[in-house]
């Protein structure tokens, strides 16, 4: 290895010496080539032969050749910054502020070019008179006062459509004449400032005068602003003229962006408006939901008046075992507001609670209990309470059930307290069904469809999977859904089975037959097939209680409102047998009051269940149903002749009292049909006035007082919340599920909200 290195070293030393003349020749040749190749050998190409679509590039080339000075370079940097801010950053900010306004194709409104015009690169905008504006212009537009030489980029600041604006670099001032003839002065911000910073932080203070312009001090260093969408308050703006509004827009993207700015700046009056200088624009609270229009409708009638016994001694009504009103009241109170009077149906508040009435004998479908007590809110009157207790058959003895879930899956059901709660609620009842019971599921939105064919209740996996796959969307073709549900129920019919459709909805029908009269006639016709219809209501805001009540009453079913999963368990688990298995149809109550002992009376509640006197004996007139084990309670307030509590003057020519009945207050008649029967059964019981009150009837009286307080009743006198709460607490009795203590808490809440 050493020998080879030595040989190399000797060879290098033997190399010839550099030739100075050859070096000089090479350098001369290189310089000649450098000088010769500096220019282009091609002739200049005319732009006149370019196609029209390439015309915008001509301006770019002229701009690049024109912009040779540092002030001009600063101006183009400003234009580029503005275009990037408007076309890229502003749409993102606009999404945070609520979304863009819809585009328009009207050139007068967008400032866009008319047919045949070529868009020019210009960002002319308009602002209210007396304000300052900022903009950039294309290279062809010379500024009034050239900006001095600077190193920083110009300000990026969007402005409304229509005015003329001049952008300045840092620590420099420029003026431009607006479309109204005013001179506008604006100072640029630091190049690092982002869109959304307030002008006070990015541009400094600008001043404008109609005849002269004043130079502002340089702005302090920009600071980031929270994402509030605050306007450019510190810029003085001028009101646009018609010519400015019609000026061509720089591009479609800019036009759309400026339209969104105009829409965001519009005042409540609807005219084009702007935010005054140094005045913050109102920013909507992002965490608060916008109020939703309340379209709820409730079935109710005027409160029953006091009636004179001598003029109208007979009172007739249909029983009501619905409980929807109480759940709606609870939903309202826990939501922080007192329910409106039309939401209150006192009989449904009273009947929400189970009562320990006397059980019927084996031969009876139900039994009746009467009690009389002094009226808590009026010492001069008495309360007569009529309680009905339905028979409760053994579970093994009840007939098989054919159940069709008719589920509203329209768009109005997407809220968490609607379809999601509905699916959970229906899942709860599956454990209460027997293996031989059958379930089918029909849904409706824009149209109706069957999502589960009749399936044995024992196949829980298939039923739960069908429920879990339901999703909300579309309109509400409720009438079509009802028709399909009845068809499915008829196909499931079998000897000895009970067929029931369970409609779960918010009641917002908006496609097909949606008026209560039309639905009433359709459901009334279908009940003759033996299929009963019950309704479960969900959600608030668009709850149509009127339709729900109409469907349930004419479908020989019940109506309940589900606001919590606990309420779902009460209705669909604890009271499932009573809700789905009727023991008596067309149950009617009639009381004839004795004028000798009762001068005046009024029925508390049941306004929507009133019947004519002759309807009582007419078996063709429909009335309410009683399910297995169900209780029904009705309360009358009666006034004796000569009492100081009488509200009506006695007649000059009174009617003679019947003989032999002086000791009776009245006479109770009950009429009902066995399920499927054509003729009714009548039971009669005298009301002596000596029937003792119980804890059950006193609590029912407290609930009657609760409902009247919510209605603002004129019959309560000075009796108020404290007295109602005290009565309910003293009559709480046996309350294994906590329903009664919950009612007391609701009364306390109502008292607080009512102040």
């Amino acid at each position: 290895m050493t020998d080879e290195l030595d040989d190399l070293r000797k060879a290098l030393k033997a190399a010839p010496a550099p030739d100075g003349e050859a070096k000089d020749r090479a350098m001369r040749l290189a310089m000649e080539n450098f000088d010769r190749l500096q220019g282009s050998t091609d002739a200049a190409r005319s732009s006149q032969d370019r196609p029209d679509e390439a015309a915008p590039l001509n301006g770019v080339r002229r701009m690049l050749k024109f912009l040779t000075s540092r002030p001009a370079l600063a101006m183009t940097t400003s234009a580029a910054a503005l275009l990037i801010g408007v076309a890229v950053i502003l749409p993102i900010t606009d999404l945070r502020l609520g979304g863009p306004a819809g585009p328009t194709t009207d050139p007068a409104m967008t400032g866009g070019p008319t047919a045949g015009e070529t868009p020019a690169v210009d960002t002319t905008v308009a602002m209210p008179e007396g304000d300052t504006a900022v903009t950039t212009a294309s290279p062809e537009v010379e500024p009034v006062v050239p900006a001095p030489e600077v190193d920083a980029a110009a300000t990026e600041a969007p402005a409304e459509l229509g005015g003329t604006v001049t952008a300045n670099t840092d620590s420099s001032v420029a003026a431009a004449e607006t479309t109204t003839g005013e001179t506008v002065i604006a100072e640029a911000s630091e190049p690092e400032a982002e869109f959304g910073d307030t002008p006070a932080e990015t541009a400094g203070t600008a001043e404008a005068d109609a005849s002269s312009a004043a130079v502002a001090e340089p702005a302090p260093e920009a600071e980031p602003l929270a994402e509030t969408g605050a306007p450019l308050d510190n810029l003085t703006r001028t009101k646009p003229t018609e010519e400015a509004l019609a000026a061509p827009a720089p591009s479609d993207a800019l036009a759309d962006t400026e339209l969104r700015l105009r829409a965001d700046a519009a005042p409540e009056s609807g005219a084009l408006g702007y935010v005054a200088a140094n005045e913050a624009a109102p920013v909507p609270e992002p965490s608060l939901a916008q109020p939703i229009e309340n379209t709820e409708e409730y079935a109710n009638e005027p409160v029953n008046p006091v009636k004179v016994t001598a003029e109208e001694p007979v009172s007739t009504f249909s029983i009501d075992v619905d409980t929807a009103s109480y759940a709606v009241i609870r939903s309202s109170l826990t939501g922080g507001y007192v329910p409106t009077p039309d939401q209150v149906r006192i009989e449904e508040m009273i009947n929400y609670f189970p009562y320990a009435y006397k059980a019927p004998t084996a031969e009876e479908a139900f039994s009746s209990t009467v009690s009389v007590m002094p009226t808590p809110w009026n010492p001069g009157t008495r309360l007569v309470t009529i309680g009905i207790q339905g028979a409760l058959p053994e579970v093994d003895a009840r007939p098989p059930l054919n159940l069709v879930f008719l589920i509203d899956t329209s768009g109005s059901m997407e809220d968490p307290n609607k379809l999601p709660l509905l699916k959970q609620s229906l899942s709860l009842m599956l454990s209460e069904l027997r293996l031989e019971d059958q379930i089918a599921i029909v849904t409706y939105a824009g149209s109706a469809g069957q999502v589960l064919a009749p399936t044995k209740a024992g196949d829980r996996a298939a039923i739960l999977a069908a429920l879990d796959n339901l999703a909300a969307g579309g309109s509400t073709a409720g009438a079509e859904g009802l028709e399909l549900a009845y068809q499915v129920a008829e196909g499931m019919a079998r000897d000895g089975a009970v067929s029931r459709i369970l409609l779960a909805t918010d009641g917002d029908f908006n496609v097909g037959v949606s008026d209560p009269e039309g639905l009433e006639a359709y459901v009334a016709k279908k009940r003759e097939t033996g299929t009963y219809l019950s309704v479960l209501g969900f959600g608030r805001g668009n709850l149509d209680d009127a339709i729900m009540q109409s469907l349930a009453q004419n479908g020989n079913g019940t109506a309940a409102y589900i606001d919590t999963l606990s309420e779902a368990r009460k209705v669909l688990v604890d009271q499932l047998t009573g809700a789905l298995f009727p023991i008596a149809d067309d149950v009617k109550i009639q009381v004839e009051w004795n004028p000798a002992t009762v001068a005046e009376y009024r029925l508390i509640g049941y306004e929507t269940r009133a019947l004519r006197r002759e309807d009582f004996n007419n078996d063709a007139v429909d009335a309410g149903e009683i399910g297995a084990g169900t209780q029904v309670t009705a309360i009358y307030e009666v006034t004796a002749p000569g009492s100081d509590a009488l509200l009506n003057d006695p007649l000059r020519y009174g009617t003679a009292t019947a003989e032999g009945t002086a000791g009776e207050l009245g006479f109770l008649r009950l009429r009902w049909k066995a399920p499927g029967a054509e003729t009714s059964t009548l039971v009669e019981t005298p009301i002596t006035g000596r029937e003792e009150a119980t804890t059950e009837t006193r609590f029912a009286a407290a609930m009657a007082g609760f409902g009247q307080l919510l209605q603002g009743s004129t019959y309560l006198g000075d009796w108020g919340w404290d007295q109602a709460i005290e009565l309910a607490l003293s009559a709480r009795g046996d309350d294994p599920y906590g329903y009664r203590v919950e009612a007391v808490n609701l009364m306390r809440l109502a008292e607080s909200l009512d102040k």
Side-chain angles (χ1 to χ4, degrees):
M1 179 64 71
T2 303
D3 295 340
E4 294 178 356
L5 291 176
D6 292 341
D7 295 341
L8 177 62
R9 197 177 291 114
K10 293 177 182 179
L12 291 174
K13 290 181 179 180
D19 188 350
E21 295 181 358
K23 180 178 180 181
D24 292 340
R25 287 196 303 272
M27 289 296 297
R28 279 198 307 274
L29 180 61
M31 294 300 296
E32 290 175 358
N33 290 334
F34 177 81
D35 293 338
R36 179 173 55 83
L37 297 176
Q38 286 303 300
S40 174
T41 59
D42 297 334
R45 180 179 178 181
S46 174
S47 62
Q48 301 300 323
D49 58 347
R50 293 177 180 270
D52 292 341
E53 57 269 15
L57 298 179
N58 298 337
V60 175
R61 289 181 173 82
R62 288 196 299 272
M63 177 183 70
L64 294 176
K65 297 183 66 176
F66 173 78
L67 297 177
T68 57
S69 65
R70 298 183 66 183
L73 288 174
M75 185 186 306
T76 57
T77 303
S78 174
L82 178 60
L83 290 174
I84 293 174
V86 172
V88 178
I89 302 176
L90 180 57
I92 300 175
T93 305
D94 186 68
L95 290 175
R96 294 198 307 266
L97 297 178
T104 178
T105 57
D106 186 358
M109 292 300 296
T110 62
T114 58
E117 293 183 348
T118 301
V121 181
D122 180 65
T123 55
T124 302
V125 295
M127 298 182 179
E129 188 172 357
D131 288 355
T132 302
V134 177
T135 191
T136 60
S138 65
E140 287 91 354
V141 181
E142 297 184 0
V144 177
V145 179
E149 180 175 326
V150 293
D151 294 329
T155 294
E156 53 180 275
E160 282 81 351
L161 184 66
T164 302
V165 198
T166 301
N168 306 316
T169 57
D170 183 47
S171 303
S172 64
V173 177
E177 184 174 351
T178 67
T179 57
T180 58
E182 300 182 39
T183 301
V184 181
I185 306 298
E187 189 172 66
S189 68
E190 295 292 335
E192 293 81 8
E194 298 180 357
F195 179 79
D197 294 343
T198 59
E201 295 168 323
T202 59
T205 303
E207 300 179 356
D209 187 84
S211 59
S212 63
V215 178
E217 294 296 330
E221 184 177 355
E223 298 179 0
L225 183 66
E227 297 180 1
T228 60
L232 303 178
D233 300 325
N234 200 47
L235 299 181
T236 306
R237 305 174 182 179
T238 56
K239 189 173 183 179
T241 61
E242 295 180 359
E243 294 81 358
L245 289 174
S251 67
D252 292 342
L254 285 177
D256 291 344
T257 302
E258 289 164 348
L259 282 175
R260 292 196 292 272
L261 288 173
R262 288 163 59 90
D264 291 341
E268 295 182 358
S269 62
L272 182 62
Y274 308 90
V275 179
N278 299 321
E279 178 180 346
V283 180
E285 184 66 38
S287 61
L288 297 179
Q290 296 298 323
I292 301 175
E293 181 184 2
N294 190 321
T295 61
E296 295 182 347
E297 294 186 11
Y298 291 90
N300 224 322
E301 297 291 338
V303 174
N304 288 327
V306 172
K307 296 185 177 182
V308 177
T309 306
E311 299 174 357
E312 191 174 346
V314 178
S315 172
T316 308
F317 63 95
S318 165
I319 63 99
D320 182 5
V321 295
D322 296 343
T323 60
S325 179
Y326 179 85
V328 169
I329 291 169
R330 178 180 58 207
S331 173
S332 298
L333 291 175
T334 55
Y337 57 94
V338 178
T340 57
D342 64 324
Q343 296 174 356
V344 179
R345 290 189 292 271
I346 296 178
E347 74 277 9
E348 297 186 16
M349 296 181 65
I350 297 172
N351 289 326
Y352 180 84
F353 304 91
Y355 298 97
Y357 294 143
K358 179 183 65 174
T361 64
E363 295 77 20
E364 296 177 324
F366 54 83
S367 63
S368 61
T369 300
V370 178
S371 66
V372 181
M373 61 179 285
T375 303
W377 51 83
N378 191 342
T381 65
R382 289 187 289 179
L383 295 183
V384 177
T385 303
I386 302 171
I388 297 176
Q389 174 67 57
L392 181 61
E394 296 292 335
V395 175
D396 294 338
R398 68 174 174 84
L401 175 65
N402 297 328
L403 182 61
V404 179
F405 290 159
L406 176 56
I407 301 176
D408 182 353
T409 56
S410 63
S412 64
M413 292 289 290
E414 65 182 353
D415 296 341
N417 62 344
K418 293 186 178 181
L419 185 59
L421 177 60
L422 183 157
K423 294 193 287 186
Q424 290 179 308
S425 301
L426 296 182
S427 300
L428 290 178
M429 70 178 298
L430 294 182
S431 60
E432 300 300 309
L433 301 178
R434 298 187 301 179
L435 296 179
E436 62 268 26
D437 295 336
Q438 292 189 94
I439 292 179
I441 300 178
V442 173
T443 63
Y444 65 91
S447 60
Q450 183 176 348
V451 299
L452 180 68
T455 303
K456 294 292 185 181
D459 192 357
R460 291 171 53 88
I463 299 171
L464 291 175
L467 287 173
D468 188 59
N469 289 332
L470 300 180
S475 56
T476 317
E480 184 179 346
L482 277 174
E483 182 179 3
L484 180 57
Y486 277 111
Q487 292 176 1
V488 173
E490 291 173 3
M492 298 170 66
R494 46 185 168 153
D495 293 339
V498 172
S499 296
R500 177 80 71 172
I501 296 174
L502 192 59
L503 169 61
T505 179
D506 57 8
D508 187 15
F509 287 27
N510 54 37
V511 175
V513 181
S514 59
D515 64 287
E517 290 78 11
L519 290 171
E520 176 180 319
Y522 177 78
V523 174
K525 179 181 178 181
K526 287 297 183 179
R527 73 172 178 234
E528 302 301 328
T529 64
T531 300
Y532 292 176
L533 172 68
S534 291
V535 183
L536 300 178
F538 290 84
R540 297 298 299 271
N542 64 333
L543 181 68
D544 198 331
D545 175 79
I547 286 184
M548 290 171 50
Q549 290 292 320
S550 175
L551 293 177
Q553 291 182 20
N554 290 278
N556 280 6
T558 60
Y561 173 74
I562 307 296
D563 58 333
T564 65
L565 200 57
S566 296
E567 181 67 13
R569 176 175 177 82
K570 176 180 182 292
V571 173
L572 298 176
V573 177
D574 299 338
Q575 300 175 352
L576 177 66
T577 302
L580 299 181
F581 297 95
I583 59 174
D585 291 345
D586 296 339
V587 182
K588 306 171 187 176
I589 297 178
Q590 186 175 79
V591 179
E592 180 185 354
W593 296 105
N594 183 2
T597 55
V598 176
E600 295 174 344
Y601 69 92
R602 70 181 180 101
L603 175 62
I604 301 176
Y606 291 93
E607 285 84 2
T608 63
R609 300 295 182 129
L611 297 175
R612 296 173 298 181
R613 180 177 177 179
E614 61 269 25
D615 291 340
F616 183 77
N617 293 324
N618 188 349
D619 287 341
V621 175
D622 183 60
E625 282 64 44
I626 290 182
T630 303
Q631 299 96 21
V632 180
T633 303
I635 300 177
Y636 282 93
E637 182 178 3
V638 299
T639 309
S643 171
D644 294 337
L646 288 173
L647 300 180
N648 296 279
D649 294 332
L651 294 176
R652 179 179 178 87
Y653 308 104
T655 59
T657 60
E659 297 180 359
T661 59
E664 296 179 357
L665 292 181
F667 199 63
L668 171 65
R669 297 182 178 93
L670 298 176
R671 188 179 289 276
W672 79 94
K673 299 175 186 175
E678 296 293 333
T679 58
S680 62
T681 301
L682 175 65
V683 174
E684 299 176 326
T685 304
I687 303 173
T688 64
R690 295 183 295 272
E691 296 85 355
E692 294 183 358
T694 64
T695 299
E696 306 300 296
T697 56
R698 284 197 295 269
F699 185 82
M703 291 302 99
F706 183 13
Q708 291 177 95
L709 286 170
L710 292 175
Q711 288 180 335
S713 175
T714 60
Y715 298 117
L716 298 182
D718 296 331
W719 197 78
W721 290 110
D722 291 340
Q723 292 79 12
I725 293 171
E726 181 181 359
L727 177 60
L729 283 174
S730 65
R732 178 182 171 185
D734 188 21
D735 187 23
Y737 300 108
Y739 300 147
R740 296 187 181 186
V741 72
E742 178 193 51
V744 173
N745 290 331
L746 290 177
M747 294 166 76
R748 289 178 174 143
L749 183 56
E751 179 184 18
S752 300
L753 295 173
D754 199 29
K755 292 181 178 179

